Amino acid sequence: DLRVESNGNANMLFVDGGNDSIIIGHNDGTNGTFLSQAAFQVVGTDATGAHIGLSRSSDNAFPCTLSFAKSRGAVGTDTVVQDDDEIGQILFAAGDGTDLSSQGANIKVALDGTPGANDVPCRMTFGTTADGAASPTERLRINAEGNILVGLTSRLFYNHTGTINVNGDGDAGIKVNRSSDNGNLI
């Protein structure tokens, strides 16, 4: 284990050798949150302490980047992935009075077809947890063809790219309101 202090934090940086994790702002890699198994953890008591920031200052159009990658092989290999393999995800959890392990929402990216050389068809999904439920359910999907699917995981109609499919009970549909009547069509 290795611990680095700052003026205001006894555990500014903590390397937990027993749990193979690096922790900023805390000294327990098994603190009962959904982060407990993460190799890199940031724990804080205010907006600054629990904030990870990226900044790029350069005279060009290139942004900061957060990258996710997936291979079916060993570290350092590029073994081809398969349809439905998840490439990356962002998870959101909140204290529920028991622990910080219950997810309230997620964003996932997964393969949406058969990959090949320089060809990686993907979908992006958004999930939320309903009141009384224990985990997120997929609510919205943008598939590899560019179709938007709300409340379903495959198209209901139209075999074209760029369609919006909505499925639900009762008043399911798309409603468009215009705040002014300026003669333009929606």
Side-chain angles (χ1 to χ4, degrees):
D1 291 351
L2 170 71
R3 182 173 58 91
V4 177
E5 295 182 8
S6 70
N7 288 339
N9 191 336
N11 296 291
M12 185 65 188
L13 174 68
F14 184 74
V15 178
D16 186 346
N19 292 303
D20 297 328
S21 57
I22 298 171
I23 308 162
I24 294 176
H26 195 54
N27 67 349
D28 182 7
T30 59
N31 61 10
T33 71
F34 79 109
L35 293 173
S36 294
Q37 302 302 314
F40 180 70
Q41 304 172 33
V42 177
V43 180
T45 58
D46 58 21
T48 304
H51 179 111
I52 298 173
L54 300 172
S55 176
R56 180 172 181 161
S57 299
S58 58
D59 187 15
N60 57 42
F62 301 111
C64 296
T65 301
L66 177 63
S67 298
F68 296 87
K70 165 76 173 150
S71 169
R72 280 195 164 243
V75 173
T77 66
D78 61 355
T79 304
V80 68
V81 290
Q82 298 176 9
D83 188 22
D84 293 324
D85 281 1
E86 291 182 358
I87 295 175
Q89 61 183 337
I90 301 173
L91 307 176
F92 303 88
D96 61 4
T98 305
D99 55 31
L100 282 170
S101 296
S102 300
Q103 289 182 36
N106 61 38
I107 301 170
K108 296 181 179 183
V109 174
L111 271 288
D112 199 19
T114 304
N118 299 316
D119 177 22
V120 185
C122 287
R123 65 178 172 265
M124 180 178 278
T125 62
F126 299 82
T128 59
T129 302
D131 190 15
S135 61
T137 299
E138 181 181 318
R139 308 296 183 181
L140 176 97
R141 174 181 293 212
I142 303 170
N143 69 13
E145 297 169 332
N147 296 305
I148 298 172
L149 311 172
V150 180
L152 48 114
T153 59
S154 61
R155 286 191 317 258
L156 287 175
F157 52 86
Y158 300 120
N159 194 18
H160 305 289
T161 59
T163 62
I164 298 175
N165 288 247
V166 178
N167 185 42
D169 295 331
D171 294 329
I174 296 176
K175 182 177 180 180
V176 178
N177 289 325
R178 185 167 58 196
S179 60
S180 67
D181 184 10
N182 59 6
N184 294 327
L185 298 176
I186 294 179

